[in-house]
Amino acid sequence: MPEIEDGLLLSTNPATGEEAGRVPVADEKAVAQAVERAREAAAWWLGLGYDGRKARLLRWRSLLVGRIDELAEVTHRETGKPTADAVMETVAAVEHVDWAARHARKVLGPRRTRTRLLLAEHSGHLEYQPYGVVGVIGPWNYPIVTPVGPISGALAAGNAVIFKPSEYTPVVGQWLVDTFAEVVPEHPVLQAVHGFGDVGAALCRSGVGKVAFTGSTATAKKVMAACAENLVPVVIEAGGKDALIVDADADVPAAAEAAVWGGMTNAGQTCIGIERVYAVAPVYDALVKEIVAKAGKLRTGEEIGPITMPRQIDTIREHIDDALARGGTAVLGGADAVQPPYVAPTVLVDVPADSTEIREETFGPTLTITRVKDAEEAIRLANDTPYGLGGAVFGKKNAIRIARRLRAGMVAVNSTLTFVGMGNLPFGGVGDSGFGRIHGEDGLREFARPKAITVRRGPSVLPSMTFERTPAQIATIVKAVRLLYKGRP
Ligand code: NDP
């Protein structure tokens, strides 16, 4: 656990133990003060209108692009992840800021709805109004793109944001907030509050209008409980145990490459990382061989960075040990792969379905490969998990049909993780992986309340909502309703 010294949270590089930076720790009072400041900032920010906010968000996007190397270096220093991975993470974040900024007006702006015949003298109007102040609680594994998704959606919708980064990545979090303040210096529209879980809990109880949480399922339940006290709505982006299905007509080398990338990028510390592979019998042997060959080339300390959160190493070790103890075989890596702070790529086969390696989120560079009879069995096993975040399917004829049947919020066909890079697609899961969406139109609507307004345009022909209506008028209304709806199935 990071240390606190003189009120400052010390962040260290997990690979070297060197200090990555220090930030002030907040307490309940500081969180309350941040919310107060945010309320004023929110009023100003809302007053800028969609165009004013768009211009400023696009300026921030350009700053992120211009300083991509600096952000990647800060992230590399704090998480240990390879700089190239931090660059790619920033690229995805840039896409989400850009998309949210450009589409907020179209998705959330005022519009007329179609006239309803029985209330033809009224016009209907719909618009989406921001919550005011939104709390964003983020994890450490992707400290740029995971918070920037909800932050950009919330800001584009007209909210001010208070961001609580993970205690393991406060420096990256502060960098994001500081650079936003460079392009929006007038008011603290985006603020950070730092500290441990208690600061996140204080944010949930601080009077914010909505909380966007990204993190583990266990913490998500605590966040929901804290938010429930004041009926504060939440969007939950929690863990996953994503599966990749390889069908008989798949391009096997491409599937192997995707499994290795999807499972081992960021040392497997990816919410939408591939953890389980289900391959139909005809391609199973070739796939295992390809995966082992490709994963065997990855080097710890190079393509495979350190495990950022030290206690996660025990979980990874326990899962590997459990898989082996229950009869699984390591065809690459295995028990010796765990060399803190690194875990070498590990590929396990014949792992029984009740092993923790199959059932719980491992969050390390491990893959299980399971032989299945056909796609039906693959779908059944892939869906046999309380999680339902993402997934992938490799194949031709039936791939999209299989993708539709996976119980998950997002599925990539003939690739992995692709959906996180598309600003116009919603991101989020089902079951223990959470609910609500960030990114895309749904991700914008998540941060605004729909507001319905009706406007009378003239006198009522058939007055129904008044005590002054007559029996004859009611009879006419019933006749009209019969005419309008009776014949419709
Ligand atoms: P945690 O759940 O441990 O922490 C997430 C955040 O919640 C941190 O900022 C943490 O602060 C804070 N927090 C802890 N306790 C509380 C509390 N009681 N009330 C409010 N906030 C609290 O997750 P990790 O940081 O370990 O992240 C890894 C997890 O995140 C994995 O399960 C991963 O799958 C998931 N994830 C999901 C994604 C998605 O989009 N679905 C994307 C990325 C990750 P502190 O760190 O200071 O304890």
Side-chain angles (χ1 to χ4, degrees), residues 172-414:
V172 175
Q174 192 61 48
W175 191 96
L176 293 171
V177 169
D178 290 346
T179 53
F180 187 80
E182 285 181 33
V183 296
V184 182
E186 298 93 335
H187 289 273
V189 174
L190 174 62
Q191 300 176 70
V193 289
H194 297 289
F196 299 107
D198 59 313
V199 177
L203 185 56
C204 296
R205 297 189 170 95
S206 65
V208 292
K210 180 146 192 171
V211 168
F213 170 82
T214 307
S216 63
T217 307
T219 309
K221 291 177 187 178
K222 292 186 197 162
V223 165
M224 284 185 73
C227 287
E229 290 169 19
N230 299 307
L231 280 191
V232 174
V234 289
V235 43
I236 299 289
E237 297 292 344
K241 190 76 192 171
D242 292 1
L244 181 149
I245 292 178
V246 188
D247 206 1
D249 55 357
D251 174 340
V252 173
E257 151 134 52
V260 173
W261 162 256
M264 302 193 179
T265 183
N266 205 30
Q269 305 164 107
T270 305
C271 55
I272 47 171
I274 299 299
E275 300 212 3
R276 302 170 294 148
V277 177
Y278 295 100
V280 297
V283 296
Y284 176 84
D285 289 331
L287 183 79
V288 172
K289 205 168 146 215
E290 290 266 1
I291 287 180
V292 169
K294 287 181 198 297
K297 287 191 196 137
L298 302 176
R299 299 154 298 171
T300 51
E302 298 290 335
E303 296 89 355
I304 304 290
I307 300 305
T308 305
M309 189 171 70
R311 68 171 188 273
Q312 191 62 30
I313 291 177
D314 295 331
T315 306
I316 300 169
R317 185 189 287 117
E318 282 163 25
H319 286 194
I320 296 174
D321 289 349
D322 186 68
L324 299 176
R326 287 171 192 266
T329 303
V331 286
L332 182 72
D336 297 340
V338 182
Q339 306 281 345
Y342 295 100
V343 176
T346 291
V347 179
L348 300 153
V349 296
D350 301 328
V351 180
D354 59 355
S355 166
T356 50
E357 180 68 40
I358 296 276
R359 300 221 67 79
E360 294 172 18
E361 190 178 38
T362 305
F363 235 49
T366 74
L367 281 176
T368 62
I369 315 177
T370 303
R371 184 199 300 265
V372 290
K373 186 165 89 254
D374 52 24
E376 262 326 294
E377 188 183 5
I379 294 167
R380 185 175 57 74
L381 292 175
N383 286 343
D384 184 19
T385 170
Y387 290 112
L389 193 53
V393 181
F394 273 75
K396 294 187 184 76
K397 208 165 103 252
N398 290 320
I400 293 177
R401 267 195 288 272
I402 296 170
R404 288 206 177 99
R405 289 180 56 200
L406 284 183
R407 184 181 158 276
M410 305 151 295
V411 182
V413 172
N414 293 327

Side-chain angles (χ1 to χ4, degrees), residues 84-219:
D85 287 354
V87 168
M88 291 320 293
E89 202 189 324
T90 310
V91 170
V94 162
E95 158 84 355
H96 296 302
V97 179
D98 185 86
W99 198 91
R102 289 185 190 282
H103 293 84
R105 178 197 288 281
K106 183 164 173 269
V107 177
L108 306 174
R111 83 239 19 214
R112 278 273 303 264
T113 56
R114 287 189 69 179
T115 303
R116 310 302 299 158
L117 251 158
L118 285 177
L119 289 165
E121 69 278 20
H122 302 269
S123 60
H125 305 259
L126 169 64
E127 64 186 76
Y128 292 82
Q129 298 182 340
Y131 283 92
V133 183
V134 167
V136 172
I137 301 176
W140 47 266
N141 61 336
Y142 285 88
I144 307 166
V145 71
T146 52
V148 164
I151 286 172
S152 51
L155 291 176
N159 303 279
V161 172
I162 300 182
F163 170 33
K164 153 68 179 78
S166 163
E167 70 209 34
Y168 290 97
T169 52
V171 176
V172 175
Q174 192 61 48
W175 191 96
L176 293 171
V177 169
D178 290 346
T179 53
F180 187 80
E182 285 181 33
V183 296
V184 182
E186 298 93 335
H187 289 273
V189 174
L190 174 62
Q191 300 176 70
V193 289
H194 297 289
F196 299 107
D198 59 313
V199 177
L203 185 56
C204 296
R205 297 189 170 95
S206 65
V208 292
K210 180 146 192 171
V211 168
F213 170 82
T214 307
S216 63
T217 307
T219 309

